[in-house]
Amino acid sequence: MSKIRILGTQLANQIAAGEVVDRPFSVVKELVENSLDAGARHIHVEVENGGMKLLKVRDDGTGIPADELVLALGRHSTSKIYDLVDLDAIGTLGFRGEALSSIASVSQLTLISKHSESAWLLQPENCDTTASLRPAAHPQGTTVEVRELFYNTPARRKFLRSEVTEYNNISACIKRLALSRFDVAFTLTNNDRLRLDLSASEKCLDEQERLRAICGPSFLDNAIYLNNQSSNLMIKGWISIPTFSRSQPDLQYLFVNGRYVKDKTIAHAVRQAYQDVLYKGRHPAFVLYLETDLRDVDVNVHPTKHEVRFKDNKVIHRFVHSALDSALAERYPKTDNFSDTRVDLVVGSQPKRDIMSLVDILSSHRFGEQADRNSPRKKCDIVGLKSGSADFFNDQHNKDIVSQDDREPIPPLGFAVAQLRYAYILAENATGLVIVDAHAAHERIVYEELKRTYEQQGLVSQPLLVPQGVVVTETEADLGERHKEEFSKLGFVLDRISSESLLVRELPAILRGCDTEQLVCDILADLIHYDISDRLSEEIHHILSTMACHGSVRVNRKLTLSEMNSLLRQMEQTERINQCNHGRPTWAEFSLEEIDKYFMRGR
Ligand SMILES: Nc1ncnc2c1ncn2[C@@H]1O[C@H](COP(=O)(O)OP(=O)(O)OP(=O)(O)O)[C@@H](O)[C@H]1O
Ligand SMILES: [Mg+2]
């Protein structure tokens, strides 16, 4: 080995630069972050040739005093922290005091700044920062010009991608920064063409405008706004409704105390909140802002500051998960203005039917009669079709809808008028036509009820008149035997009767009437698949989801109008009803205007 030597400043800085600035966009990130830390309200970014030829960031922040300009370019020089205590609660984006020196070591950098009376320009050559400090013309604020990036580190330059790719990265970076500060105006020009012009937002509407410009208009149209607070945590932002999912996690923005970061704990909490409303393999979109006590988060864990470490991951996970979970659980269509009594009037039965009675409804023909007898609105049969008949267009139907409007409010999902292919319920509501996937909707209703009752007291079981033998594999029989207790909490009473068979004595009451053998086999398969032995509680939702699937109305099942209306009312009372357990939509609405437009009918 050669002799140990101290590296020259230039080389040391170039090595350090490798960590901080590896692409043009990371230079932009550092410079814009400096502008934000300096209190800028307007930030202009200019790019030429994908940032390789020129990167220029101009701001109207506090500026740098003339006697500190040279210092600003020195290694480990910062105005943002002074001692270890400051490092414990960092409230600025920068704090290491190495960005400018790193950038200056791998480019031709010019720094112009006006702090008070006059502006000064500094153009260091090979880290000799004293050489060229001279007066300049510049308004209040700072401009940093970076030319010929990586001109003296050919290895780094070799790894750069095409100009277009590098520019796209810069643009994405500016968008992230713009989402972090709605109150700051940003412009971005590429090769003299203005590509982004975001004015500072003063009110909520402007924020939405920026969100629309950055995330696309459909995101905002399909997003839920949330704003939750606990003693020292706050989360707000927009999350996509589950039917607006993406094939890649490419529309996910997380800001912790104003800093864009990637964080595994939060990513997991988000995934869990979406787990039973999102279609398999799809990703949610979100723009989320988490605010914590500065002392509860360490930002000094990654050279590019893209990661943070929380003092208590569990608390963060619980808080984020619960905020998203309840936002996603919001009932839709909103029933706030539609009291339960009105729903009861319609179904003509006990208030807030539980799922047991729904199963009763769906498996008994008596309910239809009952509902008709009890309901002051005997419209279920009068209004629409006699189930399966075809007088949808008759006048009586139209009159009844109108007169019914006068007497009682139409529930959000309206009243059933027909069933299509035994799979879809067609209903008429105040807006127009509602189409419901009966199986998907019922699956969600059963699933939510299963979760609720499981959490409260475990599922109630009901003895089978004749216990049923189920042939399984030896592993499955072992599992059934070993986990008798867990099974009983799920409402199953099982006995092993041979090496490869189980006897089912009791089933969850909520699922009676379904194919017992298939159900038990599927649950055992789930248990094996999820290797449930030690983590039944973690995966219980998968099992309950499997059970819900078995307990739900199957396609090709003819429903009466009363049954259909009951299902619609249940939907209005159910959390997360917009998607089935697999993330597919359960219903869709077509307004009269849309229908008129389609038929080119003016009103
Ligand atoms: N646009 C600017 N306006 C005002 N002051 C600035 C600006 N850019 C840099 N500075 C000053 O120069 C100092 C050095 O900047 P530099 O980016 O190198 O370090 P930092 O921001 O303190 O920490 P980090 O390396 O983590 O970014 C800053 O602390 C700040 O005082
Ligand atoms: Mg900085």
Side-chain angles (χ1 to χ4, degrees):
M1 272 213 282
S2 319
K3 274 177 73 158
I4 298 175
R5 271 169 298 186
I6 293 177
L7 294 176
T9 320
Q10 166 84 342
L11 184 57
N13 281 350
Q14 283 173 342
I15 293 171
E19 286 201 319
V20 183
V21 287
D22 63 341
R23 314 207 83 88
F25 92 83
S26 33
V27 172
V28 172
K29 171 186 171 286
E30 293 299 334
L31 298 182
V32 174
E33 286 188 351
N34 279 346
S35 300
L36 291 171
D37 281 344
R41 305 309 301 246
H42 295 87
I43 299 175
H44 305 279
V45 181
E46 281 174 47
V47 178
E48 275 177 35
N49 299 87
M52 274 86 102
K53 189 166 168 216
L54 171 76
L55 285 171
K56 188 161 148 186
V57 175
R58 180 160 55 87
D59 69 52
D60 58 354
T62 54
I64 307 172
D67 60 343
E68 289 178 25
L69 271 173
V70 172
L71 210 53
L73 292 187
R75 194 116 192 264
H76 308 302
S77 49
T78 179
S79 57
K80 300 172 191 175
I81 57 168
Y82 291 100
D83 53 30
L84 202 63
V85 180
D86 295 339
L87 194 61
D88 250 8
I90 291 168
T92 47
L93 295 166
F95 54 89
R96 294 214 177 108
E98 58 184 12
L100 284 185
S101 66
S102 298
I103 298 166
S105 71
V106 292
S107 67
Q108 290 165 1
L109 182 141
T110 308
L111 177 61
I112 315 163
S113 193
K114 181 177 173 186
H115 173 68
S116 44
E117 269 127 56
S118 45
W120 291 89
L121 179 151
L122 180 66
Q123 211 162 30
E125 267 161 42
N126 291 335
C127 284
D128 176 13
T129 49
T130 46
S132 36
L133 185 60
R134 59 173 191 263
H138 194 280
Q140 169 74 43
T142 304
T143 294
V144 182
E145 218 179 80
V146 176
R147 291 188 179 273
E148 307 302 332
L149 184 61
F150 303 130
Y151 76 103
N152 53 358
T153 49
R156 177 70 66 191
R157 211 175 168 98
K158 213 166 57 193
F159 284 101
L160 293 184
R161 311 277 286 277
S162 73
E163 283 182 15
V164 176
T165 308
E166 295 300 344
Y167 168 74
N168 286 341
N169 287 334
I170 293 172
S171 164
C173 170
I174 298 287
K175 287 175 180 170
R176 288 193 288 268
L177 289 157
L179 281 178
S180 79
R181 289 288 300 271
F182 286 97
D183 57 331
V184 176
F186 289 84
T187 62
L188 169 65
T189 55
N190 184 30
N191 298 332
D192 290 330
R193 271 188 57 207
L194 182 64
R195 303 294 291 269
L196 258 185
D197 187 2
L198 303 167
S199 44
S201 38
E202 273 150 25
K203 37 187 194 306
C204 179
L205 259 181
D206 303 333
E207 285 190 5
Q208 296 192 357
E209 203 46 53
R210 181 172 292 195
L211 203 63
R212 217 179 272 281
I214 294 176
C215 303
S218 51
F219 171 66
L220 196 62
D221 294 342
N222 290 288
I224 308 167
Y225 180 75
L226 60 90
N227 190 342
N228 291 43
Q229 213 149 359
S230 78
S231 54
N232 56 353
L233 286 173
M234 196 275 284
I235 190 165
K236 65 173 185 181
W238 295 265
I239 58 170
S240 59
I241 58 170
T243 40
F244 180 83
S245 59
R246 308 199 36 107
S247 60
Q248 298 298 327
D250 55 353
L251 214 167
Q252 302 189 339
Y253 297 94
L254 169 68
F255 301 89
V256 174
N257 296 335
R259 183 191 305 277
Y260 172 82
V261 294
K262 299 252 177 220
D263 182 72
K264 286 197 185 109
T265 303
I266 296 180
H268 186 263
V270 172
R271 253 199 326 276
Q272 263 203 346
Y274 274 92
Q275 79 174 356
D276 59 34
V277 287
L278 206 63
Y279 196 70
K280 213 164 148 226
R282 306 282 300 177
H283 302 269
F286 58 82
V287 179
L288 284 173
Y289 303 86
L290 179 75
E291 299 287 328
T292 69
D293 187 318
L294 294 178
R295 280 162 308 193
D296 291 345
V297 53
D298 184 2
V299 293
N300 188 21
V301 290
H302 194 271
T304 60
K305 312 181 196 99
H306 265 145
E307 284 171 25
V308 289
R309 197 180 294 134
F310 294 107
K311 204 157 123 195
D312 193 338
N313 273 334
K314 275 196 190 133
V315 170
I316 298 290
H317 189 283
R318 212 176 308 126
F319 178 67
V320 174
H321 177 262
S322 127
L324 267 72
D325 193 53
S326 47
L328 289 167
E330 283 250 315
R331 288 159 208 192
Y332 191 83
K334 297 249 185 295
T335 50
D336 308 356
N337 302 325
F338 190 82
S339 74
D340 286 348
T341 17
R342 289 172 185 168
V343 176
D344 296 331
L345 268 180
V346 177
V347 295
S349 195
Q350 310 90 5
K352 282 214 167 196
R353 302 184 143 272
D354 63 17
I355 194 71
M356 287 293 294
S357 45
L358 180 74
V359 172
D360 288 342
I361 293 160
L362 294 168
S363 56
S364 123
H365 290 288
R366 274 180 304 117
F367 176 77
E369 295 154 24
Q370 245 178 40
D372 288 349
R373 197 172 51 243
N374 296 342
S375 173
R377 179 189 169 278
K378 294 181 184 165
K379 292 292 169 286
C380 293
D381 287 327
I382 309 166
V383 170
L385 296 175
K386 293 259 178 278
S387 207
S389 80
D391 57 348
F392 182 58
F393 297 103
N394 79 20
D395 281 352
Q396 184 58 42
H397 163 76
N398 294 331
K399 270 187 224 136
D400 283 333
I401 279 286
V402 173
S403 57
Q404 161 211 314
D405 279 350
D406 301 337
R407 274 176 296 143
E408 58 182 270
I410 300 176
L413 290 174
F415 298 112
V417 289
Q419 190 182 13
L420 187 67
R421 293 269 169 126
Y422 300 153
Y424 298 101
I425 295 171
L426 307 185
E428 180 176 355
N429 71 357
T431 313
L433 174 70
V434 171
I435 303 181
V436 172
D437 179 335
H439 172 68
H442 193 211
E443 192 174 313
R444 170 60 67 186
I445 294 170
V446 175
Y447 181 39
E448 290 300 319
E449 185 61 17
L450 282 170
K451 283 199 281 188
R452 200 174 60 78
T453 40
Y454 181 84
E455 269 146 34
Q456 279 169 4
Q457 81 267 3
L459 303 181
V460 180
S461 62
Q462 191 177 50
L464 288 173
L465 234 49
V466 184
Q468 190 175 340
V470 178
V471 180
V472 292
T473 64
E474 197 166 345
T475 323
E476 288 170 342
D478 284 347
L479 206 70
E481 196 176 20
R482 216 172 41 238
H483 292 287
K484 262 183 103 151
E485 215 166 285
E486 285 89 340
F487 266 101
S488 89
K489 196 165 178 225
L490 285 166
F492 292 90
V493 175
L494 304 175
D495 280 331
R496 187 174 192 165
I497 46 173
S498 77
S499 66
E500 291 182 350
S501 57
L502 295 166
L503 191 68
V504 185
R505 297 190 184 280
E506 294 184 17
L507 272 186
I510 194 168
L511 299 180
R512 71 171 181 276
C514 66
D515 181 342
T516 312
E517 183 160 6
Q518 191 62 52
L519 174 65
V520 171
C521 288
D522 281 1
I523 292 180
L524 286 167
D526 270 4
L527 287 172
I528 291 171
H529 178 76
Y530 295 118
D531 186 17
I532 231 90
S533 1
D534 325 314
R535 23 183 223 119
L536 184 69
S537 60
E538 272 176 46
E539 301 295 350
I540 192 67
H541 283 191
H542 289 288
I543 300 201
L544 295 177
S545 169
T546 301
M547 289 167 69
C549 203
H550 281 278
S552 311
V553 184
R554 293 280 166 190
V555 180
N556 293 335
R557 156 92 155 76
K558 187 172 173 180
L559 301 173
T560 66
L561 279 176
S562 304
E563 287 175 335
M564 290 191 267
N565 280 319
S566 300
L567 192 74
L568 295 174
R569 300 298 76 81
Q570 280 284 329
M571 286 176 71
E572 286 155 359
Q573 301 298 313
T574 300
E575 293 183 338
R576 301 177 189 81
I577 193 59
N578 289 349
Q579 306 78 33
C580 76
N581 311 350
H582 313 289
R584 285 189 288 270
T586 52
W587 66 283
E589 188 176 57
F590 301 90
S591 70
L592 212 54
E593 286 86 60
E594 285 174 284
I595 298 171
D596 282 345
K597 209 160 135 196
Y598 181 78
F599 289 104
M600 295 182 229
R601 181 189 275 270
R603 272 179 193 260

